[in-house]
Amino acid sequence: MAAPKVRFRPPGVKTGSTIGPLGPFRGTLGIQWVVASIAAGLIIVLVVSWLLFREPGEPFQKVEDFTIDDVQPGTAREAFAGVYVGRVEDGEAFAVAEPANCPLEIVEGGYLDCAERLYDFAGRGRKGRTLTLLPIHVRLGAIYIDLRNAA
């Protein structure tokens, strides 16, 4: 029994025949294929843009008093009771919650707690101490904060 012959072109295409720019295709695609590919591309663009640019839902809450442009790098503002939004010198924003029964005070360079411990705007203190960092999302200048872990 002979081994099957290895073919490099589809059956029916003769050696030396031109097969066109689409390969060995002998028919034409109808307009429905063009419309379907445009519709599929449009659906993909719409879904991706909706996922990237939608407002965050629960548990995020929008800060109504100010936008991210109102908080200059190297400063902080109180967004909610006991929750502060601060920006470090490179412009990255952080949301921190004050410890239970120990209010924070905004000072130059960061926060000061009731025990006179200094924290920077990213919530880092000396000797490995940190404030509770809250998830933050900035969309079109508006600030959204997840307050579930706030004291």
Side-chain angles (χ1 to χ4, degrees):
M1 179 179 247
K5 190 175 184 181
V6 177
R7 294 178 180 254
F8 293 104
R9 54 186 178 270
V13 176
K14 305 271 189 278
T15 306
S17 64
T18 57
I19 54 178
L22 296 177
F25 182 70
R26 299 199 177 217
T28 59
L29 295 176
I31 191 70
Q32 69 270 19
W33 287 95
V34 175
V35 172
S37 62
I38 291 172
L42 185 61
I43 289 172
I44 291 170
V45 166
L46 290 175
V47 167
V48 168
S49 64
W50 179 77
L51 288 173
L52 290 177
F53 300 115
R54 66 186 168 126
E55 287 188 10
E58 288 296 326
F60 285 90
Q61 292 185 18
K62 184 178 181 180
V63 176
E64 300 290 342
D65 297 335
F66 56 90
T67 64
I68 195 67
D69 296 329
D70 297 331
V71 182
Q72 298 302 318
T75 63
R77 291 186 69 174
E78 187 170 16
F80 299 102
V83 176
Y84 298 88
V85 174
R87 290 179 73 183
V88 293
E89 293 298 330
D90 68 357
E92 187 176 0
F94 291 92
V96 297
E98 63 187 14
N101 300 323
C102 186
L104 289 177
E105 179 184 341
I106 300 173
V107 296
E108 186 177 336
Y111 308 103
L112 190 66
D113 69 2
C114 60
E116 302 287 322
R117 292 183 291 234
L118 186 63
Y119 298 90
D120 65 4
F121 290 116
R124 296 180 299 255
R126 294 179 55 187
K127 297 183 181 177
R129 289 189 205 98
T130 59
L131 295 172
T132 303
L133 286 176
L134 302 175
I136 186 172
H137 181 75
V138 178
R139 180 185 175 270
L140 300 174
I143 303 169
Y144 298 86
I145 301 173
D146 181 357
L147 298 175
R148 287 183 294 184
N149 294 333

